[in-house]
Amino acid sequence: MKKVVLTGDRPTGKLHLGHFVGSLKNRVEMQNSGDYEMFVMIADQQALTDNARDPGKIQDNLLEVALDYLSVGLDPDKTTIFVQSAVPALYELTIHYSNLVGLGRLQRNPTVKTEIKQRGFGDSIPVGFLTYPIAQAADITAFDANLVPVGEDQLPVLEQDREIVRSFNSLYGDVLVEPEPVVPEGNAKRLPGIFGADDKMSKSLDNGIYLSDDSETVKQKVMQMYTDPNHIRVEDPGKVEGNVVFIYLDVFAEDQKKVAELKEQYQKGGLGDVAVKKYLIEVLEELLSPIRQRRAQYEQDLEQVRQILTDGNVRANTKADKVLKRVRDAIGINYF
Ligand code: TRP
């Protein structure tokens, strides 16, 4: 049997190059290998746990994220793309699992702790937010997922999800599949934003290059990129460490021999920032133009995109309902 892969994104904004190298690229490769049964979920319900007062933001980004998925090459014939809130079984599973988790354990979850601090909830942490790791256990187990690609910051959530599975199984029998996280490796781990290598690319810092950015925008962003502040004249020797343009070339350029040559020349002196930036623009254009083309096609037919999600929801519900039945049987509440 093929291993089941499930992953998801909160639709709080459009996806950017950081998402691409950290996860989207890998998902498309897994999909195209044909070795996995793939589910990709738009986690709108989880996004609402800290955006309940601004649901419009989530609604607006739902189709954006779907378009991002389709434009990078997730193929609805191979991957079930669906919307979390359209799968009622997930809510019920969340309730069942919540009986197995202590409040203290949730409060100690390092991911959730950090996110709570970042959001400045003070003493009014939404209960839904604090308990999102439980809901995430529902997302994962509802599909019998074996593998869950996530960013490294999500590892503590996955650890808690595995604990929930083990508690459930030890109480009620071997019912749930214990998932394993899959994290990005090497320089895919953390793509910096355009303004400096210390910050990772993120929506909140407004330092990202989006998959949906047009050529002109990408060009402007690359031209603003942080390089080496001491590299003032072309003849000056420049630093490649911490130089965002070179970090991107390491990640995105196919021709790494050329990148090595450029680095050498830059470090010696005699190579200007603009020349290197122009090369990076070429490299990014090559990556982004097929993505933009696919996006433009789907944007002309948003009805089709909605239909893709509707079909995905049907498939997701069929699978999740089976797991829910197993869970209800195991607990012993299928009385009628
Ligand atoms: N918490 C994940 C994130 O913020 C999103 C997510 C929701 C998810 N449900 C999931 C990821 C299930 C993997 C599996 O990135």
Side-chain angles (χ1 to χ4, degrees):
M1 266 234 304
K2 284 185 181 180
K3 288 206 164 168
V4 178
V5 177
L6 175 121
T7 188
D9 303 280
R10 301 177 198 172
T12 50
K14 298 178 291 184
L15 303 182
H16 51 56
L17 285 178
H19 296 114
F20 182 79
V21 291
S23 66
L24 296 171
K25 187 167 170 245
N26 184 247
R27 290 182 204 175
V28 174
E29 281 165 10
M30 286 179 119
Q31 163 193 281
N32 293 340
S33 74
D35 295 339
Y36 306 96
E37 185 183 353
M38 302 261 306
F39 292 90
V40 175
M41 178 182 75
I42 305 181
D44 63 328
Q45 184 55 41
Q46 189 174 106
L48 282 169
T49 60
D50 63 329
N51 286 285
R53 283 166 184 78
D54 188 12
K57 174 170 148 192
I58 310 306
Q59 286 151 18
D60 292 345
N61 283 303
L62 194 90
L63 273 192
E64 287 295 331
V65 171
L67 284 166
D68 285 329
Y69 286 166
L70 294 166
S71 68
V72 295
L74 284 180
D75 174 350
D77 292 329
K78 298 182 184 152
T79 295
T80 301
I81 303 172
F82 70 99
V83 178
Q84 190 179 32
S85 63
V87 184
L90 300 178
Y91 298 107
E92 184 175 335
L93 289 171
T94 303
I95 292 286
H96 296 311
Y97 299 162
S98 67
N99 296 335
L100 305 177
V101 182
L103 184 59
R105 175 68 181 88
L106 281 168
Q107 287 167 328
R108 281 191 302 275
N109 185 308
T111 311
V112 180
K113 257 166 87 173
T114 309
E115 289 175 336
I116 284 172
K117 233 183 253 145
Q118 285 167 349
R119 283 162 178 74
F121 289 131
D123 59 4
S124 46
I125 305 162
V127 170
F129 190 84
L130 184 69
T131 56
Y132 92 69
I134 305 177
Q136 194 154 318
D139 301 338
I140 295 166
T141 55
F143 299 91
D144 289 330
N146 306 99
L147 300 175
V148 181
V150 282
E152 251 180 353
D153 57 317
Q154 283 278 307
L155 285 177
V157 175
L158 260 287
E159 198 40 55
Q160 184 158 19
D161 292 344
R162 285 156 58 88
E163 272 172 43
I164 292 172
V165 168
R166 289 195 289 263
S167 310
F168 191 96
N169 286 349
S170 73
L171 271 167
Y172 301 118
D174 208 4
V175 177
L176 302 176
V177 174
E178 187 171 329
E180 264 174 62
V182 182
V183 290
E185 280 169 26
N187 58 16
K189 263 188 199 156
R190 183 182 172 282
L191 188 73
I194 61 174
F195 299 125
D198 292 342
D199 291 318
K200 96 175 185 187
M201 187 173 283
S202 88
K203 192 175 28 218
S204 50
L205 296 173
D206 200 17
N207 63 1
I209 295 179
Y210 290 88
L211 298 173
S212 49
D213 280 348
D214 61 21
S215 302
E216 195 45 45
T217 308
V218 171
K219 196 169 148 193
Q220 282 170 12
K221 288 181 178 174
V222 173
M223 284 302 171
Q224 293 179 59
M225 254 182 201
Y226 180 88
T227 57
D228 169 5
N230 297 316
H231 183 240
I232 295 163
R233 289 167 312 169
V234 173
E235 315 83 81
D236 293 341
K239 259 176 67 177
V240 299
E241 298 78 31
N243 184 320
V244 176
V245 180
F246 280 105
I247 295 174
Y248 278 47
L249 286 176
D250 284 340
V251 175
F252 294 106
E254 301 262 319
D255 188 352
Q256 283 299 318
K257 208 171 132 240
K258 173 158 177 173
V259 174
E261 283 163 17
L262 289 174
K263 281 184 183 170
E264 202 187 310
Q265 213 187 337
Y266 191 84
Q267 285 167 316
K268 259 200 309 211
L271 180 60
D273 280 348
V274 172
V276 193
K277 285 180 168 177
K278 284 206 168 130
Y279 179 52
L280 177 59
I281 291 169
E282 258 175 55
V283 165
L284 292 181
E285 280 304 300
E286 206 168 303
L287 171 75
L288 290 171
S289 55
I291 294 177
R292 277 189 208 117
Q293 271 167 23
R294 243 177 272 138
R295 188 188 190 91
Q297 278 169 7
Y298 282 110
E299 270 173 344
Q300 279 174 9
D301 192 358
L302 290 177
E303 218 21 73
Q304 188 197 354
V305 179
R306 281 199 194 90
Q307 192 58 48
I308 287 169
L309 296 178
T310 312
D311 294 344
N313 293 342
V314 171
R315 276 187 269 166
N317 273 301
T318 304
K319 180 122 185 184
D321 283 341
K322 284 193 193 134
V323 175
L324 177 61
K325 170 149 192 329
R326 252 163 44 209
V327 163
R328 292 180 60 103
D329 284 342
I331 302 175
I333 53 170
N334 270 338
Y335 308 113
F336 307 105

